[in-house]
Amino acid sequence: MTILKIAGLHPKPHSLKYRLILILFISSLAPLILIGSISYFSMYAILQNKAEGGVQSNLHQVRLLLEDTLGQLNHTSQQLAFDGRVGKSLENYLSADLFEKKRLNDDIRSELGLIHFTNPTLGLMFYYFEKDNQRLFENFNVRDDYDLKQLPVLIKFDKLTYMGPHLSLNPIDGNEVLSILRKVELPDRDDVYVYIETNFKLAESILKDNDQFGGNLVHLIVDNHGQIVYSENSTDFPVGMLHSANNPSNKDSKYMMFEETSNQSWKVLAAVPKSVYNLEVNRWIKQFAFFAILTLIASCFIAWLIWRTVYRPLKLLSTDIRNVKSNNEVFPRRQSQILEFAVIYKEFAEMRRRIFELIGEVEQKEQGKAFLEVEKLMTQINPHFIHNTLDTIRWLARANGQKDIDRLVSTLNKVLYYNLGKGGPARIKDEIEALKNYVELQGIRYNFHFDVNIHADSKALELPVPRFILQPLVENALYHGLEDRGVIEVSVIEDGESHVIIEVRDNGDGMTEEEISQLMSENTLEKKKVGMGIGLQYVNRMVKFQFGAAASFHIKSTIGSGTTIILRLPIGGVLG
């Protein structure tokens, strides 16, 4: 009655489940939609500023790297000018004799090699004599068609000129470089210059490594006169074109322009196509949408956790109720952080325990009833009266010198004494001894000869076994088809450590399936057709009563080929 009440109060799972999900989903989604709607336009402006800040940061980095590179060129050129150590050696070299020139040549090249070694970002360097169009002390090969006057001028001062980016004069290099041309003030000549380039790919790496728009960012370098001296897009921004930020040409109107001015008045510009710039902004918006969706998923997950704390305990309780209805005795211990569910689980567990206690009591009563029925079968032979009477006959026969009768009655008395349960719990060797006495009696009774061969493992002899279990199996072989010179084989073997197998095999006529069914029938007439009125049906019921599904009882028989009875019993599960 209690189970029915609890089951009746259990709400509909699907109705509660989906209502909870809907309520929690709306409560978590509504604030997110409101916040997203308010902040979208302000977020768009922030993302635009972020993209613009990224370009400006890029330009600033490029400008600093170019300034550092030009500063390094200036510092190195000072070492090679007249005021420097190498410059003074050059003056001595020009006025020295042949032997001294050889020594000074080695010293100057050694100094140049040391300078190049300590400044790995430098490339080609040499002295240039303008009137003679002659080069001295170059550390790499120089193109034959070089012309220093044709190189793009970035900044020009009184004694030095910064040039580039331009192709290196080194024919092996062929990359974009920055260079410096500095006049060397010698007392006797005013046409001597020192030319120094940066290392190959240095200028190109400065520009390319700072492109955050996937190659769509166009870098421009404008000299202090506003003329473009370097362009990554010669179509829209040709070298030599004047650039004005206030009056852009029609061509650069499709670009977003950003600039960074150096302390020497030259500029670095970045031109971003408007379509690419908008893509960058849209990328930030997609990222914002991604995190918004991620937040939504997290909100749904939190809502699911809340739902789980309410719906799942009810579902577990419903499962426990169904298990009780199906007589399932295996139940996990339910725990809940919610006080109400914890109380319900505790009360239901107590009710469930009491139900199965009552079921256990009913089963024990049924088992007792079955045991009484077995004892009733045993009493059908009126054992005590027969035992006492036979004992009297045995003493009379012995007193009159009737040894055969004395032996026969004594053997019969032993069989009855054992079957009555006198002497305590039975073992397999006790069953075998009782069987031998029974076979001896039947050998006198029948007028044909038969043999009973018993084989038992020595370890199995001490195993406990239900009393009076072997005799009905052998008795069945005697009563069903065994003829003269018949043989009955009895074997007892251990099946591992858990079971013992008792097998009784005869070479008689065998039985049909119908005859086997009659033997196992509970019909009283069929039972009284064999021996003491208790046959295979008794053994089958005794095995089921004591062992249940842990034991097995099988009969295999073929007409003309004999009968085999196999009994498989668990070790250690026998009642005393």
Side-chain angles (χ1 to χ4, degrees):
M1 189 67 180
T2 306
I3 297 176
L4 294 177
K5 288 182 179 179
I6 294 179
L9 290 174
H10 184 68
K12 294 183 179 179
H14 296 290
S15 175
L16 177 61
K17 173 181 178 181
Y18 292 116
R19 286 178 184 177
L20 285 172
I21 291 177
L22 182 61
I23 293 172
L24 293 171
F25 180 79
I26 294 175
S27 63
S28 62
L29 185 61
L32 184 64
I33 295 176
L34 180 61
I35 295 173
S37 301
I38 295 174
S39 62
Y40 176 79
F41 295 103
S42 59
M43 181 61 68
Y44 186 83
I46 293 173
L47 292 177
Q48 278 190 319
N49 294 334
K50 187 174 181 64
E52 182 177 349
V55 178
Q56 290 294 152
S57 176
N58 165 273
L59 279 179
H60 182 70
Q61 185 70 17
V62 169
R63 180 183 64 80
L64 291 178
L65 290 173
L66 288 175
E67 285 182 348
D68 290 344
T69 302
L70 295 179
Q72 188 175 18
L73 288 173
N74 180 45
H75 176 71
T76 305
S77 66
Q78 287 178 348
Q79 293 180 286
L80 301 182
F82 178 74
D83 295 335
R85 178 178 175 181
V86 181
K88 292 180 179 179
S89 297
L90 176 64
E91 180 186 12
N92 296 332
Y93 173 85
L94 295 176
S95 60
D97 56 17
L98 185 61
F99 178 79
E100 186 67 11
K101 278 188 176 182
K102 177 67 173 65
R103 185 185 65 81
L104 291 172
N105 179 72
D106 294 339
D107 291 342
I108 293 174
R109 288 189 178 277
S110 177
E111 290 290 335
L112 290 176
L114 181 61
I115 292 173
H116 186 270
F117 178 79
T118 55
N119 297 275
T121 58
L122 298 180
L124 175 65
M125 60 179 66
F126 59 84
Y127 285 97
Y128 173 70
F129 297 82
E130 185 179 13
K131 293 180 180 179
D132 303 331
N133 194 24
Q134 182 184 4
R135 303 183 309 275
L136 286 179
F137 309 112
E138 61 265 32
N139 57 347
F140 295 105
N141 293 330
V142 182
R143 293 202 311 265
D144 294 332
D145 59 342
Y146 78 96
D147 188 355
L148 300 180
K149 296 180 179 180
Q150 299 299 321
L151 298 178
V153 177
L154 181 60
I155 309 170
K156 188 170 183 180
F157 297 97
D158 184 24
K159 294 183 179 181
L160 58 87
T161 303
Y162 293 103
M163 295 172 290
H166 61 84
L167 289 176
S168 174
L169 301 184
N170 183 357
I172 301 177
D173 185 353
N175 293 287
E176 297 285 344
V177 297
L178 297 173
S179 62
I180 187 172
L181 186 65
R182 187 184 192 100
K183 189 173 183 180
V184 181
E185 297 289 348
L186 296 178
D188 298 331
R189 300 192 63 163
D190 62 349
D191 64 329
V192 182
Y193 299 86
V194 59
Y195 176 81
I196 306 173
E197 289 182 355
T198 58
N199 196 358
F200 67 96
K201 293 187 178 180
L202 178 62
E204 183 178 356
S205 64
I206 291 174
L207 299 175
K208 298 296 183 183
D209 291 347
N210 290 279
D211 186 355
Q212 70 184 69
F213 289 90
N216 294 298
L217 184 66
V218 179
H219 286 99
L220 307 174
I221 299 179
V222 179
D223 63 13
N224 51 358
H225 300 295
Q227 187 177 10
I228 298 176
V229 296
Y230 173 80
S231 172
E232 290 182 335
N233 186 345
S234 58
T235 302
D236 293 341
F237 305 96
V239 175
M241 183 185 77
L242 291 175
H243 173 76
S244 175
N246 296 327
N247 297 304
S249 63
N250 293 330
K251 286 188 177 181
D252 62 9
S253 61
K254 64 181 181 181
Y255 289 88
M256 300 287 292
M257 303 299 297
F258 304 89
E259 67 178 36
E260 182 84 4
T261 304
S262 73
N263 53 12
Q264 297 171 343
S265 299
W266 54 271
K267 300 178 182 179
V268 180
L269 283 78
V272 184
K274 292 181 179 179
S275 58
V276 176
Y277 182 83
N278 291 330
L279 284 176
E280 181 68 8
V281 175
N282 292 335
R283 183 175 68 86
W284 288 106
I285 293 176
K286 289 179 180 178
Q287 290 182 356
F288 170 77
F290 170 77
F291 285 108
I293 294 173
L294 191 63
T295 304
L296 176 61
I297 294 174
S299 300
C300 293
F301 177 75
I302 295 173
W304 175 79
L305 287 178
I306 298 174
W307 161 78
R308 186 172 179 268
T309 59
V310 177
Y311 176 76
R312 188 170 179 270
L314 292 177
K315 186 176 181 181
L316 293 176
L317 183 61
S318 176
T319 302
D320 290 346
I321 293 174
R322 287 195 297 270
N323 288 336
V324 172
K325 292 168 61 178
S326 60
N327 292 329
N328 187 356
E329 296 186 21
V330 180
F331 287 90
R333 291 182 60 87
R334 303 296 188 192
Q335 300 291 338
S336 179
Q337 301 298 325
I338 303 176
L339 178 61
E340 290 76 8
F341 283 112
V343 173
I344 292 175
Y345 285 153
K346 182 179 178 181
E347 295 295 330
F348 183 78
E350 181 64 24
M351 181 196 70
R352 184 178 60 216
R353 183 188 62 80
R354 182 56 183 160
I355 288 174
F356 283 104
E357 283 182 356
L358 295 174
I359 293 175
E361 292 176 3
V362 172
E363 290 178 350
Q364 288 180 357
K365 291 179 180 179
E366 291 294 326
Q367 290 178 356
K369 181 180 179 181
F371 187 78
L372 290 175
E373 289 179 359
V374 172
E375 288 188 338
K376 180 181 178 181
L377 288 174
M378 293 292 295
T379 58
Q380 290 178 356
I381 62 175
N382 199 2
H384 291 285
F385 173 76
I386 295 175
H387 175 72
N388 295 332
T389 303
L390 288 176
D391 192 53
T392 303
I393 295 172
R394 180 174 67 86
W395 285 107
L396 288 174
R398 180 174 294 184
N400 293 309
Q402 300 292 331
K403 295 182 179 180
D404 291 337
I405 297 175
D406 180 22
R407 181 174 61 85
L408 178 62
V409 174
S410 179
T411 302
L412 177 59
N413 218 12
K414 290 179 181 179
V415 173
L416 291 176
Y417 181 81
Y418 174 76
N419 292 341
L420 287 174
K422 306 296 184 180
R427 294 168 295 179
I428 288 180
K429 68 178 184 179
D430 300 328
E431 276 290 301
I432 293 175
E433 185 65 28
L435 178 62
K436 290 179 180 178
N437 293 329
Y438 171 76
V439 170
E440 184 179 352
L441 289 175
Q442 296 294 54
I444 298 172
R445 178 182 177 186
Y446 288 103
N447 58 359
F448 64 88
H449 180 76
F450 64 91
D451 295 324
V452 177
N453 300 323
I454 301 174
H455 308 280
D457 291 345
S458 58
K459 296 181 179 179
L461 294 176
E462 298 297 330
L463 295 177
V465 69
R467 188 179 296 275
F468 193 57
I469 202 170
L470 275 180
Q471 179 182 318
L473 304 183
V474 176
E475 186 178 35
N476 176 77
L478 292 174
Y479 273 87
H480 292 88
L482 196 65
E483 296 178 353
D484 194 20
R485 309 307 302 175
V487 178
I488 299 175
E489 299 284 344
V490 179
S491 65
V492 181
I493 59 174
E494 284 192 73
D495 183 14
E497 298 181 355
S498 59
H499 288 78
V500 60
I501 297 178
I502 300 173
E503 187 174 299
V504 178
R505 183 186 302 108
D506 65 66
N507 61 350
D509 294 335
M511 296 182 291
T512 63
E513 292 294 331
E514 182 179 357
E515 290 174 331
I516 294 175
S517 299
Q518 290 176 355
L519 282 175
M520 301 303 295
S521 173
E522 296 185 4
N523 185 278
T524 305
L525 294 177
E526 292 294 335
K527 289 192 295 182
K528 291 188 176 180
K529 288 180 181 179
V530 293
M532 301 171 66
I534 303 174
L536 298 182
Q537 211 278 332
Y538 158 76
V539 177
N540 188 31
R541 293 188 64 183
M542 176 64 73
V543 168
K544 288 182 178 180
F545 168 67
Q546 292 205 19
F547 305 107
S552 61
F553 183 86
H554 298 290
I555 300 177
K556 298 180 181 179
S557 183
T558 305
I559 299 297
S561 299
T563 302
T564 301
I565 301 175
I566 302 172
L567 187 60
R568 190 169 183 266
L569 304 177
I571 297 176
V574 180
L575 298 176

